[in-house]
Amino acid sequence: MIGDRWGVTDSETLRTYPCDDLVVAPALQAWRGVSIAAPAAAVWPWVAQVRLAPYSYDWIDNRGRRSPRQLQGLPEPQIGEAFTTAGGRKLGRIVSVDPGKQLTSTIMGAFMSYVLVPQEHDRTRLLLKVVMQTTRWAALGLSIGDLIMARRQLLNLKQLAEHNGHHGPATE
């Protein structure tokens, strides 16, 4: 399918993700991935902070509000909690979490798993898989749209973890 892969290896598409157990025979399966020059412990707080903002194109999905650029010292995500906040509205819900390792959520009928894979030399692979039951034509459009937004989100999380990962919670 067009737009179903970005930044992932064949082996990363073959691995099992937590969202795979939540959707039987998905019409949409999309994989995204990015390498981050920071240990998983520095990446995880940024993934967990997606609860505050989408971290993609703020002018589109956050009504122009800028996603926080400093860690806010949030407690660990909990199952049942809102997945994200966009334009001041809480959206989606967290369905599975293994702190420091994976966060799986659902939003608008899609299920997605963010998985952190520690690498050598304090590097991390941040992988995202999205699955959804929908029509084949809708899956094509959703795959392309998700590619644009998820790519930006992962690149933003990469930049924040690499440049701000050493900072503690904001003191403001």
Side-chain angles (χ1 to χ4, degrees):
M1 177 175 294
I2 297 172
D4 67 339
R5 295 179 184 199
W6 175 80
V8 291
T9 64
D10 288 343
S11 65
E12 289 170 337
T13 66
L14 296 174
R15 69 179 288 149
T16 301
Y17 292 79
C19 63
D20 293 330
D21 296 332
L22 302 171
V23 179
V24 178
L28 170 64
Q29 292 190 87
W31 298 265
R32 287 64 171 100
V34 67
S35 293
I36 303 175
V43 177
W44 174 251
W46 291 104
V47 172
Q49 195 159 291
V50 167
R51 292 174 288 166
L52 294 181
Y55 284 94
S56 58
Y57 291 103
D58 287 336
W59 58 276
I60 293 174
D61 62 7
N62 206 18
R63 294 187 183 168
R65 297 176 186 172
R66 186 162 192 201
S67 296
R69 295 302 192 244
Q70 291 197 6
L71 290 173
Q72 301 299 304
L74 297 178
E76 291 292 354
Q78 301 294 316
I79 293 173
E81 184 177 9
F83 163 58
T84 193
T85 304
R89 293 184 44 217
K90 293 189 179 296
L91 300 171
R93 127 185 101 76
I94 295 171
V95 296
S96 171
V97 64
D98 187 354
K101 296 180 181 175
Q102 70 87 16
L103 176 70
T104 300
S105 63
T106 182
I107 190 168
M108 299 187 299
F111 288 84
M112 62 200 67
S113 293
Y114 295 81
V115 176
L116 285 75
V117 182
Q119 306 285 290
E120 292 181 350
H121 311 296
D122 283 338
R123 297 182 64 81
T124 305
R125 287 286 292 157
L126 176 55
L127 306 175
L128 169 61
K129 183 174 183 185
V130 180
V131 294
M132 184 178 192
Q133 285 184 332
T134 186
T135 67
R136 179 149 174 78
W137 290 107
L140 176 61
L142 291 167
S143 181
I144 294 168
D146 177 73
L147 172 62
I148 294 165
M149 301 307 279
R151 178 182 175 278
R152 173 51 40 214
Q153 180 188 59
L154 294 181
L155 290 172
N156 282 341
L157 294 174
K158 168 186 170 69
Q159 179 186 33
L160 290 164
E162 288 178 349
H163 295 104
N164 300 316
H166 59 283
H167 296 305
T171 56
E172 300 170 41

